[in-house]
Amino acid sequence: MTCRRAAIPAVAGAVLITLLLWWAGASAHALQLQGATRALGIESVQELRRWLAPWAYDASVLTPAGDDTGVSGTPGYSDLRRTGMQIRFVALFVLYGAGALLLLRRMPPSHGRTPGTLLALWAWGPVAGTLAVAVSTPWLIASGGRGSYRFLPQLAAGIESSGPVAVLVALLTAGLTVLVGRAVAKDGETPPRTAVPARPARLAASLGTAVVAVSLLILSYDRVAARIHTAFSGSGRLSEPGDLLRQWLILGGWTGPSTTPSGDWLVYRLVDVLMLAVVWWALRLLPGLLTRVTFPAMAAGGVCATVLALLTGQVLRIPLDDTLGVWGPTHFLAALGAHVPAALTFGTLAGTTAYAALRLTGEHPTPAPQPVPTA
């Protein structure tokens, strides 16, 4: 797909995800209605407040009546919050549009690529939301009047707050973006899928999966994670990077079987294995889905593959946790969208490793030339 044609669905998707998340944040006022707590339950209302907090302009509607909201209500601090939210939504529009443009240009929804394009665009939504939150969080920290206190832990907490709303909205956005992409795509301009040589493709997928496994199986072990979290000490505003490092380096968390029943422990470890299988499967298919294997496309594809594996693991853990009777129905989806920063870090490394392996083998697929129509 040409850049001009790919820009149409990319812009449409960027507009839609921005409007939907803005609407979700504006809908937080509904949680202040008198019957909201009785209808949904106190646990569900609190959980929904946490979901909508990153996308709401008005912070007062997210705080239960009677709570101390600090100094963020003064005009100067309110202006800082509005500025931060404006930056957040503009960054979301730009980041989602840029990623969707790259994915649609190299993986147009035609010639059997539509499911892969849909999944890639869905995975890119939480990534764009997380990056937009990361860019704008310093303004929101300053709007609370305590920007000089534990800045890095506050930054880590803000980045981690993107939440399930971005995942659910991204799924709707991906569907519409694919429909628009199919409408504007011309099959004559898009080369068909090419067969990927099995041996180099498997090698590239295996090396990329090994990179993700470093975070999921080694860095996520509780003792290693604790060492990362406490490795740095010092004084000053930037003296506590442990939360931030853990957020961008660790995809999960697990302990030895002595702390839980052996059967439950094995089931959770099986979920981790299935996550790595999803990464391997996605990286194995990725070169054949691309119209041209390039470094940016493989890096973005590696990120999408890792995020898809992460979402798969989070969905599979929903029935295992069995907390519906304790925390309410919204708690089922509370884990969606967690660990996306680490997926961005190791997904980029995995895609880069897979691309390097394909280049070194010299057997990466190239699309067949299209016949030139005669006049």
Side-chain angles (χ1 to χ4, degrees):
M1 186 183 291
T2 62
C3 186
R4 181 178 299 179
R5 289 187 181 278
I8 298 174
V11 171
V15 170
L16 181 63
I17 194 172
T18 304
L19 289 178
L20 286 176
L21 286 175
W22 176 85
W23 172 80
S27 300
H29 285 277
L31 298 177
Q32 300 295 97
L33 297 176
Q34 293 182 357
T37 302
R38 291 194 300 270
L40 301 176
I42 185 63
E43 294 85 3
S44 296
V45 169
Q46 294 294 342
E47 189 67 29
L48 289 173
R49 280 197 179 99
R50 185 182 69 83
W51 290 13
L52 300 178
W55 311 106
Y57 268 82
D58 187 2
S60 64
V61 302
L62 303 171
T63 306
D67 282 9
D68 183 13
T69 57
V71 296
S72 60
T74 60
Y77 292 107
S78 298
D79 290 343
L80 277 174
R81 179 174 178 84
R82 282 194 296 270
T83 300
M85 294 306 297
Q86 290 167 2
I87 293 172
R88 178 164 298 184
F89 283 105
V90 170
L92 175 67
F93 175 85
V94 173
L95 290 166
Y96 186 87
L101 177 62
L102 173 62
L103 292 171
L104 287 166
R105 190 179 180 192
R106 295 302 179 201
M107 195 189 302
S110 60
H111 294 295
R113 296 184 175 95
T114 302
T117 307
L118 177 65
L119 292 175
L121 290 172
W122 178 32
W124 185 253
V127 174
T130 297
L131 291 176
V133 170
V135 169
S136 56
T137 292
W139 279 265
L140 272 68
I141 293 174
S143 72
R146 54 185 187 276
S148 61
Y149 174 70
R150 292 172 56 87
F151 175 77
L152 289 182
Q154 288 188 76
L155 181 62
I159 295 172
E160 199 175 36
S161 66
S162 179
V165 174
V167 177
L168 301 176
V169 166
L171 182 58
L172 297 176
T173 303
L176 177 69
T177 305
V178 167
L179 290 177
V180 176
R182 288 185 64 86
V184 302
K186 284 188 176 181
D187 289 343
E189 295 179 354
T190 305
R193 291 181 59 178
T194 55
V196 182
R199 187 172 182 179
R202 290 171 183 169
L203 175 62
S206 299
L207 292 176
T209 305
V211 172
V212 177
V214 170
S215 174
L216 187 62
L217 301 181
I218 299 177
L219 300 184
S220 296
Y221 183 56
D222 61 342
R223 294 183 181 179
V224 179
R227 184 64 61 88
I228 294 174
H229 190 238
T230 59
F232 297 89
S233 61
S235 60
R237 299 178 185 177
L238 305 180
S239 62
E240 300 174 350
D243 289 330
L244 205 60
L245 285 174
R246 185 176 60 180
Q247 188 179 74
W248 288 89
L249 294 178
I250 298 174
L251 275 169
W254 62 280
T255 61
S258 59
T259 58
T260 57
S262 300
D264 294 343
W265 186 86
L266 289 174
V267 171
Y268 278 97
R269 299 295 71 76
L270 178 60
V271 172
D272 293 337
V273 173
L274 290 176
M275 289 174 60
L276 294 177
V278 171
V279 174
W280 188 91
W281 171 76
L283 291 177
R284 171 65 178 83
L285 296 180
L286 181 61
L289 292 172
L290 299 175
T291 57
R292 182 183 175 189
V293 178
T294 62
F295 169 70
M298 288 294 294
V303 171
C304 294
T306 309
V307 173
L308 282 176
L310 194 64
L311 294 176
T312 300
Q314 291 166 356
V315 170
L316 290 175
R317 287 188 176 93
I318 288 176
L320 300 178
D321 292 338
D322 192 22
T323 55
L324 176 61
V326 179
W327 299 104
T330 55
H331 189 73
F332 264 122
L333 303 178
L336 287 181
H339 306 296
V340 170
L344 176 61
T345 301
F346 283 91
T348 302
L349 293 175
T352 302
T353 302
Y355 174 75
L358 290 173
R359 293 290 295 181
L360 290 175
T361 58
E363 299 184 31
H364 57 282
T366 56
Q370 297 297 298
V372 180
T374 58

